[in-house]
Amino acid sequence: MSQSYLVFYYLAMTISLLTCLTVVVLSWKNREAPGARAMLGLAVATFIWGFGFIFEAASSSLSQQILFNNIGYIGSMSVPVTWLLFAILYTNAGKPFANWKKVLLSVFPFFIIIMVWSNDAHQLMWSNEHQVASGPFLVVAKTYGPLFWIAVVHNYTLVISGAIILIRQLFIGVPLYRKQAFILLFAACLPLVWNAIYVFDLLSLPRKDLTPVMFAISGIAITLGLMRFKLFKTIPFAYPIIVQQMNDGVLVFDSSDHLLETNPAACRMTGLDNSMVGHELKDICHLSPLLECLAIADFGHLDLESTSKTKGQFFDLDKQPLFDKRQQQVGWLATIRDVSQRKQTAQELKERKEQYFTLVEHGNDGIAIVQNGLIIYANSKIKEMSGYQLEEILEKPFTQFVSPEQRKTVEKYYQKRIGGQESAGRYEARLINKQGQEVYVEISASIIEYEGQIADIAIVRDLTANKQAELENRKLRDKAEMASRLAAIGEMAAGIAHEINNPLTGVIGFSELLATRGDLPKEVMADLQIINHGSQRVVEIVKRLLTFARQNKPVKTRLDVHELLDNTLEFRSYVFKTANIEVIRQYDPKLPWITADPGQLQQVFLNIFINAEQAMRKVHDGGKITITTTRKDQFLSIRIADDGPGMTPEVKAKIFQPFFTTKGPKDGTGLGLSLAMAIILDHHGTIEVKSEYGQGTAFTINLPLDSETEASSNRTAVSPPIKASKRTASIMVVDDEEHICQLVSRVIEQMHHKAESFNDPTQALLKLESDSYDLILLDISMPGMSGLEFYSRIIAKRPELADRVIFMTGDMAAPGLEARLKQTDLMYIVKPFQPAALEQFLSKVLKEQLG
């Protein structure tokens, strides 16, 4: 039995220590709750107490047992103090417990601990320490001194005081608080009772203090309270504390209207004090209009504005009867609430609401609130922008007023915002007003709560005027940019023409000269024809390039529309072939020429051809373009039709608007057809489009005819043949290109005239000082000395040669050159030329010069 008791003791003490550590951890986690820090101190003190006692029991020598007994006293003297502090802080009884009071409570326990450790010097705690056997234990027997019994009384007083404070919580009536109080009382009383049994030796058990074991059971109970009944989570507040700290005034009267109780808030509001408790209401109602009102008012609720020195204050008064258990009235309760701040806030809100209403209704921006996809609020600016009345806007889907092309995008932004996802909060859109016109706007949207539900508020700014100005500016910038680009193309084209036309002159000329020989094999003749044909194609390409490049300086001239159409189609001929696009020409052969700018018209045709090509590629990778020309009254009509996908009515209505395009941002600018419209209108013509979705598209261009154009078109353009002169002429050829000198000399010699060529213009000038020539063929662009400079020098010395100079040039696109030649009536021939053309030109000139 003794050994079993020994095992039980050590096991129980070990459990006590572990339980104390558990309470320490749980109390630390809830350390911000009232009483939690005191509970933490209580658990630490209990641990020290148990630690000293268990090692005292395990020690064999008297000195060791006394040492661990003294350590245990540190905990045993700290437990009552921390227990009382826990009870006070947990129940929030009285005013906040000041730190100096906590120190005061700790003074006596600290003194006892010092006396325990110094007992050998004064013997006031105990004396005559010796070891005796008690059951399985070897314990220290003592003779207790007076200070020991004083410490016992002190500790019991503190523990019982804490228990009394907690017992008061049993009468609050809240089941959860009652369970908390029972657990805490059990945890306090069990060690207290057992300690009394041990100290006064009330049971015949081994003289070994099991108070720490009882604290193990108490620790389990406290742990259960922490986990099961939310100890420290829900702290009971005493009714008096609540009433005393309420902001509302509370007055309690008996059935005879005698004042029974009041709180500080009521005293502040009415001018009462605690000395007036017991007075009848009629004797004290003069102190405040609030009391006067209570004296005459019936039970219920009423509002009151103070008319005393607190004028401007507003109060809510509530007067209710009090009944006992038999439902008999025993008095009545009055509560007074100062609502001045609420009234003032309500007034400020009302004024602010009026200000906001003024700002919202008369602001420059439209404001709309959308809830569940419907417009539930719109200000006057929204009505102005849309052209609709308010009743035509409210409760309508907001997407109804958005351009059809943008409805899905705007709806997607709205759904993302409502769903709490990242979405564009500011974006541009187009609205459709009541007249069907587009209104460019900027929308700034955000999520709000409106009448208790989530909603989307949109601030709508009208950008139509800005957009129109921006479009105009952009059009001007684009035109300037295009003019700059075309000027660059013109300069490049001039250089290309000079560099290409000079070698082409030799290729074409010598290939034709070779073709006139009869001793060449047939296969060589065939090769020469291929060379000549290819060279002629290059000549036409250069001509078209120059014509197109000169469109930055519009010059209207007589032209054949069919030839211009064919030249434009040549630009896209290779693309059409590779894209399986067939071109069908239905030209009216009797059409007259017209007066127009060829470069600008070519730009119009080219833009329509490219649009048709791209549209047909998307749907069936090929197709047909049909070009029809006819005469309609005083107009020449050109119809360009394709079998592409066609256009919807919405797209067709906007194709001539600047910057409108159905292509991607990298595929088009939306300027092509708007510029085409401007060009045709500048020619006093019209451009129309007919298209149905899935049925293709047809553009019709009408250009005006005039009497001069028709008269010119009816003249015969065939010149009479020129007969060669029979006299042998002497002709000088000056060109920096050796092959051109050889070609021209060969043609002259075939005409039975004498030719002398020079690659260096300086040598040619020296030759002219001694010799005379019937004609001088002179290249304009030469290194060192230009043809025009050469001409100026020779006529300065020999004016008679002024009308015998024929200029050769491959650079007619050079700025001002053509105009200067025509103005001074100088003769010229443009490279590349065919030998036959050169021969005909020289024959004509020689006939005029030699007769």
Side-chain angles (χ1 to χ4, degrees), residues 637-700:
S637 179
I638 306 159
R639 185 176 184 272
I640 304 173
D642 65 66
D643 59 355
M647 293 180 280
T648 62
E650 293 83 6
V651 173
K652 186 173 69 172
K654 302 173 186 175
I655 60 170
F656 292 113
Q657 293 180 5
F659 307 105
F660 175 79
T661 179
T662 58
K663 305 173 187 176
K666 296 182 179 179
D667 298 327
T669 63
L671 288 171
L673 289 176
S674 64
L675 289 176
M677 169 73 82
I679 290 170
I680 297 303
L681 292 177
D682 186 58
H683 282 74
H684 306 291
T686 61
I687 181 170
E688 302 170 353
V689 62
K690 289 186 178 180
S691 180
E692 293 184 12
Y693 191 72
Q695 301 296 321
T697 301
F699 285 89
T700 302

Side-chain angles (χ1 to χ4, degrees), residues 265-491:
C267 292
R268 288 195 304 270
M269 295 177 186
T270 61
L272 293 171
D273 56 49
N274 290 332
S275 63
M276 297 179 182
V277 173
H279 288 70
E280 192 174 353
L281 178 59
K282 67 180 181 179
D283 297 330
I284 58 176
C285 64
H286 67 279
L287 297 174
S288 170
L290 298 174
L291 297 175
E292 293 178 356
C293 184
L294 289 174
I296 61 175
D298 295 329
F299 292 126
H301 180 83
L302 60 143
D303 293 333
L304 177 68
E305 181 178 3
S306 175
T307 57
S308 65
K309 62 181 179 179
T310 56
K311 184 176 182 181
Q313 286 187 303
F314 292 85
F315 299 91
D316 279 350
L317 279 72
D318 193 76
K319 183 177 179 180
Q320 298 296 336
L322 296 175
F323 300 94
D324 61 11
K325 294 182 179 179
R326 293 175 295 177
Q327 296 300 311
Q328 294 181 352
Q329 183 178 347
V330 294
W332 53 279
L333 172 71
T335 58
I336 307 171
R337 175 170 296 178
D338 189 343
V339 295
S340 303
Q341 184 64 38
R342 189 182 71 187
K343 290 279 189 180
Q344 181 180 355
T345 303
Q347 180 63 27
E348 290 176 354
L349 288 175
K350 180 181 178 182
E351 294 174 357
R352 190 171 300 175
K353 185 177 180 181
E354 291 175 353
Q355 293 174 355
Y356 286 162
F357 180 81
T358 302
L359 291 173
V360 168
E361 282 299 313
H362 300 90
N364 291 327
D365 294 336
I367 298 178
I369 298 177
V370 179
Q371 202 170 65
N372 299 321
L374 303 178
I375 300 175
I376 60 173
Y377 172 79
N379 68 349
S380 57
K381 188 64 178 182
I382 292 288
K383 295 188 293 182
E384 178 185 333
M385 284 191 290
S386 66
Y388 292 96
Q389 295 300 316
L390 188 59
E391 58 270 15
E392 298 176 290
I393 298 175
L394 296 182
E395 301 301 326
K396 300 294 191 303
F398 73 97
T399 52
Q400 174 180 325
F401 304 95
V402 179
S403 175
E405 296 86 358
Q406 295 183 319
R407 285 176 184 171
K408 289 185 178 180
T409 301
V410 175
E411 173 71 21
K412 181 178 70 175
Y413 291 159
Y414 169 76
Q415 292 298 338
K416 281 188 175 182
R417 283 194 302 276
I418 292 297
Q421 302 178 30
E422 289 290 334
S423 176
R426 176 176 293 182
Y427 54 91
E428 292 186 4
R430 298 191 306 275
L431 305 182
I432 305 298
N433 63 17
K434 192 170 184 178
Q435 292 73 36
Q437 300 170 334
E438 286 190 337
V439 180
Y440 290 86
V441 297
E442 180 188 67
I443 299 176
S444 299
S446 57
I447 296 300
I448 62 169
E449 183 176 324
Y450 186 78
E451 296 184 349
Q453 296 184 30
I454 190 171
D456 195 35
I457 183 170
I459 299 176
V460 185
R461 176 163 294 179
D462 191 345
L463 300 179
T464 304
N466 295 340
K467 280 292 182 180
Q468 289 175 348
E470 182 182 341
L471 290 175
E472 290 296 327
N473 291 335
R474 188 180 299 177
K475 183 189 291 186
L476 293 174
R477 287 197 304 269
D478 288 335
K479 284 185 176 181
E481 182 180 352
M482 184 172 294
S484 177
R485 288 181 180 180
L486 291 176
I489 291 175
E491 294 177 5

Side-chain angles (χ1 to χ4, degrees), residues 254-266:
D254 62 12
S255 56
S256 300
D257 291 342
H258 289 87
L259 179 63
L260 300 179
E261 187 175 350
T262 183
N263 69 344

Side-chain angles (χ1 to χ4, degrees), residues 123 125-130 141-145:
Q123 301 288 311
M125 289 299 298
W126 52 72
S127 61
N128 192 25
E129 300 99 330
H130 61 279
K142 308 172 184 176
T143 301
Y144 293 109

Side-chain angles (χ1 to χ4, degrees), residues 495-756:
I496 290 175
H498 181 264
E499 294 299 322
I500 292 178
N501 286 336
N502 277 340
L504 272 181
T505 303
V507 174
I508 294 172
F510 283 111
S511 64
E512 290 190 2
L513 290 177
L514 286 173
T516 59
R517 292 177 53 177
D519 57 345
L520 296 177
K522 292 184 178 180
E523 58 272 18
V524 174
M525 295 295 292
D527 293 344
L528 288 173
Q529 290 180 357
I530 293 173
I531 293 172
N532 189 268
H533 179 69
S535 301
Q536 294 296 339
R537 284 190 62 191
V538 174
V539 171
E540 293 302 318
I541 291 173
V542 173
K543 284 183 179 180
R544 287 193 292 270
L545 182 62
L546 289 173
T547 301
F548 186 77
R550 283 163 50 192
Q551 62 185 316
N552 61 324
K553 297 176 66 176
V555 177
K556 294 182 180 181
T557 183
R558 273 196 324 116
L559 57 87
D560 183 354
V561 169
H562 297 157
E563 182 180 353
L564 190 60
L565 284 167
D566 290 339
N567 288 341
T568 308
L569 288 169
E570 279 297 318
F571 275 116
R572 307 297 294 176
S573 60
Y574 179 77
V575 177
F576 286 167
K577 288 178 183 178
T578 56
N580 300 317
I581 294 175
E582 179 185 359
V583 178
I584 301 174
R585 296 172 174 86
Q586 296 178 350
Y587 295 164
D588 184 351
K590 298 180 180 179
L591 285 180
W593 287 17
I594 62 172
T595 301
D597 183 277
Q600 287 190 335
L601 286 188
Q602 195 171 48
Q603 182 180 355
V604 174
F605 299 151
L606 187 61
N607 186 271
I608 295 174
F609 291 152
I610 291 175
N611 287 346
E613 166 209 327
Q614 293 176 346
M616 290 187 292
R617 273 189 171 184
K618 287 184 179 179
V619 291
H620 40 60
D621 196 21
K624 293 181 180 179
I625 295 179
T626 304
I627 306 171
T628 306
T629 60
T630 57
R631 176 172 179 169
K632 294 181 179 179
D633 299 328
Q634 296 301 313
F635 287 90
L636 187 149
S637 179
I638 306 159
R639 185 176 184 272
I640 304 173
D642 65 66
D643 59 355
M647 293 180 280
T648 62
E650 293 83 6
V651 173
K652 186 173 69 172
K654 302 173 186 175
I655 60 170
F656 292 113
Q657 293 180 5
F659 307 105
F660 175 79
T661 179
T662 58
K663 305 173 187 176
K666 296 182 179 179
D667 298 327
T669 63
L671 288 171
L673 289 176
S674 64
L675 289 176
M677 169 73 82
I679 290 170
I680 297 303
L681 292 177
D682 186 58
H683 282 74
H684 306 291
T686 61
I687 181 170
E688 302 170 353
V689 62
K690 289 186 178 180
S691 180
E692 293 184 12
Y693 191 72
Q695 301 296 321
T697 301
F699 285 89
T700 302
I701 300 169
N702 297 310
L703 297 170
L705 300 170
D706 52 49
S707 56
E708 180 182 353
T709 299
E710 294 194 72
S712 300
S713 64
N714 293 328
R715 297 193 192 107
T716 302
V718 181
S719 301
I722 299 174
K723 295 180 181 181
S725 173
K726 296 180 180 180
R727 178 178 174 277
T728 299
S730 177
I731 301 175
M732 173 185 281
V733 181
V734 184
D735 198 301
D736 61 302
E737 300 278 355
E738 178 63 31
H739 66 278
I740 294 180
C741 288
Q742 293 177 5
L743 174 64
V744 175
S745 297
R746 184 81 59 85
V747 173
I748 293 172
E749 290 170 356
Q750 286 183 356
M751 295 174 64
H752 307 292
H753 296 294
K754 181 182 177 181
E756 189 172 2

